Amino acid sequence: MSATLELAKKLIACASITPHDAGCQGLLAQRLLALGFQGEQMNFGEVDNIWLRRGQKPPLFVFAGHTDVVPPGPPDQWLTDPFTPEVRNGLLYGRGAADMKGSLAAMVTACEHFINVHSDHPGSIAFLLTSDEEGPAINGTIKVVETLQARGEKIDYCLVGEPTSQKQVGDMIKNGRRGSLGGRLIVRGIQGHVAYPHLADNPIHSLAPALAVLCAQTWDQGNKDFPPTTFQISNIQGGTGATNVIPGEVEILFNFRYSTEVTHQQLQQQMEEILSQQRLNYELEWTLSGKPFLTAPGSLMTAVSQAVRGITGIDTEFSTTGGTSDGRFIAPTGAQVVELGPVNATIHKVNECVAVADLETLSRIYSRILEILLTE
């Protein structure tokens, strides 16, 4: 069994459903402390975070990742227990195999290989690990970054181990992410009997024209780095459950995934104008999960491209598609940030898995990136 596979299996065996770490960070720290890293626990609330650093001089290269996983879903739909890792037909099964315990294992073994060859390497290497990425993400990476900034620790390069690959490890890398702006809209009417609609005010009927406008709206055209901004309704709820009662209110949850062509303030203003034009009696709450970020071509993107090409023989594609990641908290500090991890076809699904061979490929890519940035 390879060192990367062995470590990945140990991590999967920890039932670290967000926001719980369940011992993952201890396993990783044990390996890194043996390499000369200095560890510092930074827990906030019920969230476990750890900062491990080797070296004090710039440039500072950071591996960032999360040890928490989403709930596994119905256990009877899994071929085996989701927290009992098992290899079948060259695939490692278990919750977190691809998102992102496989990446974490590859990061550690990459460091072990790199430091074994370059024990006196220039610069510094660090790990920023949290158990609050799959959850609210308010006591995890963002709090650690704030702590680092307050004491003047500057991250130069950051690689987040999110599963970005499509069909083959390294075929897609994220060098940015769209912003995420969510909201909760409540439209109020007057409850009444369906046989006497003139004595009531149906908020669902009132809201429908506004929803049609919102769904058809073009918010921007996007640009060469980002697709156009999208608006999606994720939940809608109204009514008492009875067929003969006009509801008194309706609630929708929605989300914007937005490009750098528009700000969250502009989106808020546009939506509120549309709602006001419909003369709705409404209440609106906003939640900004993260602003868009983009890493421009530079030394990190060049190093990652070279490493992927050298190990796999393919030319990678840089993209900003997909959901959010903790990179949104690190990029605003001025760090160059990319995300590179295994194939994402099974993440958050029943029977999540990762190819065993891909774990070794990923470890070699990570190690080569360190060599290019810190020794060449």
Side-chain angles (χ1 to χ4, degrees):
M1 187 186 303
S2 75
T4 308
L5 174 59
E6 181 181 13
L7 181 54
K9 292 179 72 173
K10 290 180 179 178
L11 293 172
I12 292 170
C14 300
S16 55
I17 299 173
T18 191
H20 304 293
D21 171 70
C24 292
Q25 292 175 19
L27 288 172
L28 297 167
Q30 184 179 24
R31 299 281 282 263
L32 295 170
L33 293 174
L35 296 174
F37 283 78
Q38 301 295 313
E40 181 180 359
Q41 206 73 39
M42 295 188 186
N43 295 348
F44 297 95
E46 61 180 344
V47 175
D48 290 330
N49 306 298
I50 191 168
W51 172 251
L52 298 118
R53 177 167 178 165
R54 186 181 198 271
Q56 296 300 320
K57 296 182 179 180
L60 172 57
F61 181 98
V62 174
F63 285 111
H66 61 90
T67 56
D68 59 322
V69 298
V70 296
D76 60 340
Q77 294 185 17
W78 284 74
L79 296 174
T80 57
D81 183 272
F83 296 108
T84 302
E86 182 176 324
V87 176
R88 295 192 304 276
N89 300 319
L91 299 174
L92 171 63
Y93 286 83
R95 176 56 86 221
D99 187 15
M100 56 179 289
K101 293 181 176 181
S103 298
L104 296 177
M107 290 172 177
V108 170
T109 58
C111 283
E112 289 174 338
H113 172 76
F114 174 77
I115 293 171
N116 183 53
V117 178
H118 305 283
S119 59
D120 296 323
H121 63 83
S124 305
I125 307 171
F127 278 70
L128 194 170
L129 305 174
T130 182
S131 66
D132 185 34
E133 196 274 346
E134 299 289 7
I138 57 175
N139 284 320
T141 298
I142 187 171
K143 291 288 183 65
V144 177
V145 169
E146 290 172 352
T147 301
L148 297 176
Q149 285 188 292
R151 65 192 193 195
E153 281 191 81
K154 183 182 183 304
I155 299 172
D156 296 288
Y157 309 118
C158 179
L159 191 151
V160 185
E162 290 293 341
T164 59
S165 302
Q166 303 295 293
K167 296 181 179 179
Q168 179 181 349
V169 170
D171 62 1
M172 180 174 284
I173 295 169
K174 308 295 183 180
N175 67 316
R177 293 282 190 168
R178 294 173 294 174
S180 177
L181 174 65
R184 175 175 176 262
L185 170 66
I186 297 176
V187 176
R188 293 188 170 86
I190 300 174
Q191 183 174 306
H193 197 295
V194 296
Y196 303 96
H198 60 288
L199 299 178
D201 179 12
N202 194 322
I204 296 178
H205 293 188
S206 301
L207 176 60
L211 287 186
V213 174
L214 290 168
C215 293
Q217 179 80 1
T218 298
W219 306 95
D220 61 49
Q221 300 295 329
N223 53 41
K224 66 181 181 64
D225 297 305
F226 290 90
T229 294
T230 61
F231 169 83
Q232 288 293 316
I233 299 168
S234 57
N235 289 268
I236 184 165
Q237 182 175 347
T240 64
T243 61
N244 60 350
V245 179
I246 294 172
E249 67 178 36
V250 61
E251 175 186 81
I252 72 164
L253 302 181
F254 62 89
N255 182 266
F256 287 96
R257 291 301 164 103
Y258 68 100
S259 75
T260 51
E261 291 295 301
V262 66
T263 66
H264 69 277
Q265 295 97 332
Q266 289 172 325
L267 291 173
Q268 291 174 348
Q269 181 180 351
Q270 289 182 63
M271 181 167 179
E272 289 170 6
E273 287 176 353
I274 290 171
L275 295 175
S276 297
Q277 288 168 3
Q278 300 297 323
R279 298 183 178 179
L280 299 174
N281 177 13
Y282 71 90
E283 176 184 324
L284 184 55
E285 299 175 359
W286 294 98
T287 301
L288 179 64
S289 299
K291 297 179 181 179
F293 73 90
L294 180 71
T295 293
S299 49
L300 179 57
M301 289 178 62
T302 298
V304 172
S305 296
Q306 291 178 355
V308 170
R309 187 182 305 114
I311 301 300
T312 69
I314 64 174
D315 290 320
T316 191
E317 174 188 355
F318 286 97
S319 170
T320 61
T321 58
T324 59
S325 79
D326 276 0
R328 69 189 188 273
F329 303 128
I330 301 169
T333 69
Q336 297 180 45
V337 179
V338 297
E339 302 169 29
L340 168 59
V343 174
N344 58 22
T346 64
I347 61 174
H348 291 208
K349 293 183 179 181
V350 168
N351 295 317
E352 179 181 354
C353 61
V354 64
V356 172
D358 287 354
L359 295 177
E360 289 308 313
T361 300
L362 200 56
S363 179
R364 293 173 61 200
I365 292 172
Y366 289 161
S367 182
R368 180 63 183 136
I369 293 170
L370 290 174
E371 288 179 346
I372 294 171
L373 288 173
L374 298 185
T375 68
E376 296 183 359

